[in-house]
Amino acid sequence: KMVRTRQGFCAFYDQAMRDATRELQQIESRLDGAFLNREFIPYYQPKFGPDGTTVTGAEALVRWNCDGTLLPPGRFIPLCEQNGWISRLDDYMLEAVVRQQTAWRKQGRAIVPVSVNLSRARLYQKDYAIRCREMFRQAGLPPWAVQFEVTESAAVENVENMRDVIRQLHQAGFRVLVDDFGTGYSSMASLKDLSFDILKLDKSFVDEIGNSRGDKIIRFTIELAKSLGMSVTAEGVEQEQQFLFLKERGCDDFQGYYFAKPLAAQAFEQLLRPEKEGEQ
Ligand code: C2E
Ligand code: MG
Ligand code: MG
Ligand code: MG
């Protein structure tokens, strides 16, 4: 039914707001229990090499199994950020991925590096890299098995701090990716001041493939990254034509619905080869 009067619209809007607020409150009241009951589940979105079939890595993306419904991070991460639970979520995910990688290795699968997303909050913990190294040592997992994704905007918020974080993670043997590259206002600063290992070209650039300005910016960004010694991963690749363009321009790894959606662990592990004798 169309709402015509201003009063009518307000009543309608009010109800929608109240519903949204109630939903937020419900989610918030269940967050603590979700951690305790281990309702957060890593999904694994594979990354592919230029041949389009070799799995070269994956990104761990959190899902919340809330009464059998899988909620995407957009539904609860903002809340976690507000009430200080985001570091707890990042720690939970890192631990879950370390555990999973260790299990896959024990089953004799050839594991690939899996990246986890790091929130702003996590970047300010002084001994983060040291704690990670200790965790890996205890699990008997080599540090190349997990990589860290940091968004460009989080990284440039405090460049001094980020420089230390990257140095410490590097010393501990971890690689660091700059995520959502090109969406912030300080893309150049993030490259000038910080020594990331891998640049993740944001989906918004991949979406521009086919228009001439977009094509030039991508070509330039890939060249720039390469000349700084980084490798380039494209995210949000949805079409063959985007894949072919990026591959032609020297992009190293590819992630997106064209290849695979984020997969549950049991589906992702089907993509891992059996480990060969003598391989690490
Ligand atoms: P992100 O790190 O940039 O991850 C990529 C997002 O794009 C994921 O959304 C993924 O499912 C989606 N995506 C991948 N390929 C395609 C494609 O071809 N087309 C389209 N339309 N989308 C694609 P998702 O899983 O909803 O995650 C959203 C964001 O939530 C992530 O963006 C990341 O910033 C954050 N996030 C996810 N897991 C965690 C976590 O454990 N900790 C933290 N701090 N943040 C997380
Ligand atoms: Mg990411
Ligand atoms: Mg990203
Ligand atoms: Mg993104």
Side-chain angles (χ1 to χ4, degrees), residues 4-68:
R4 286 173 202 280
T5 64
R6 186 175 151 71
Q7 210 180 358
F9 175 77
C10 284
F12 171 77
Y13 180 75
D14 249 34
Q15 187 55 47
M17 281 294 280
R18 249 180 282 135
D19 289 349
T21 309
R22 192 167 322 121
E23 194 204 79
L24 277 182
Q25 284 167 349
Q26 275 169 5
I27 288 182
E28 184 164 21
S29 70
R30 299 196 47 170
L31 268 177
D32 191 46
F35 281 107
L36 298 173
N37 304 329
R38 303 199 66 81
E39 291 169 4
F40 297 111
I41 302 169
Y43 266 52
Y44 297 86
Q45 187 175 33
K47 300 172 186 173
F48 292 84
D51 65 4
T53 56
T54 305
V55 176
T56 52
E59 176 174 11
L61 295 157
V62 65
R63 301 290 180 261
W64 179 5
N65 183 355
C66 193
D67 295 332

Side-chain angles (χ1 to χ4, degrees), residues 147 162 185 212 223:
Q147 303 173 336
M162 194 59 215
Y185 295 100
S212 80
E223 263 172 44

Side-chain angles (χ1 to χ4, degrees), residues 4-5 8 35 49 54 88-89 123 139 213 242 245 248:
R4 286 173 202 280
T5 64
F35 281 107
T54 305
R88 189 175 173 191
L89 182 67
L123 298 174
R213 294 177 75 89
Q242 295 171 334
F245 176 93
E248 173 76 25

Side-chain angles (χ1 to χ4, degrees), residues 45 236-238 255-262:
Q45 187 175 33
V237 181
E238 292 182 345
Q255 183 184 356
Y257 295 171
Y258 174 66
F259 300 97
K261 292 202 164 171

Side-chain angles (χ1 to χ4, degrees), residues 44-201:
Y44 297 86
Q45 187 175 33
K47 300 172 186 173
F48 292 84
D51 65 4
T53 56
T54 305
V55 176
T56 52
E59 176 174 11
L61 295 157
V62 65
R63 301 290 180 261
W64 179 5
N65 183 355
C66 193
D67 295 332
T69 309
L70 279 190
L71 297 183
R75 295 281 291 281
F76 56 91
I77 281 194
L79 264 176
C80 288
E81 276 168 347
Q82 276 168 37
N83 62 23
W85 268 336
I86 188 69
S87 298
R88 189 175 173 191
L89 182 67
D90 287 350
D91 290 350
Y92 177 106
M93 284 291 285
L94 176 62
E95 198 216 295
V97 169
V98 166
R99 205 187 284 184
Q100 183 64 79
Q101 288 279 64
T102 309
W104 278 332
R105 238 174 147 218
K106 283 208 183 104
Q107 293 163 14
R109 298 179 200 273
I111 59 166
V112 291
V114 173
S115 59
V116 296
N117 291 282
L118 278 195
S119 64
R120 284 173 168 67
R122 251 300 144 258
L123 298 174
Y124 287 91
Q125 187 185 327
K126 276 275 170 283
D127 59 347
Y128 187 66
I130 293 164
R131 285 191 3 178
C132 290
R133 189 176 54 191
E134 180 53 25
M135 183 179 174
F136 278 67
R137 200 189 57 73
Q138 278 180 20
L141 196 66
W144 62 258
V146 174
Q147 303 173 336
F148 295 94
E149 300 199 4
V150 179
T151 64
E152 167 200 296
S153 51
V156 296
E157 242 169 45
N158 184 338
V159 169
E160 294 297 308
N161 178 68
M162 194 59 215
R163 209 182 274 138
D164 287 344
V165 172
I166 294 179
R167 187 172 11 85
Q168 286 161 9
L169 286 171
H170 279 168
Q171 276 169 3
F174 298 108
R175 304 185 86 198
V176 190
L177 287 67
V178 56
D179 199 2
D180 296 349
F181 183 83
T183 56
Y185 295 100
S186 317
S187 304
M188 286 305 135
S190 70
L191 293 191
K192 179 170 72 69
D193 298 327
L194 300 167
S195 51
F196 290 104
D197 303 287
I198 298 167
L199 182 148
K200 285 192 85 175
L201 200 58

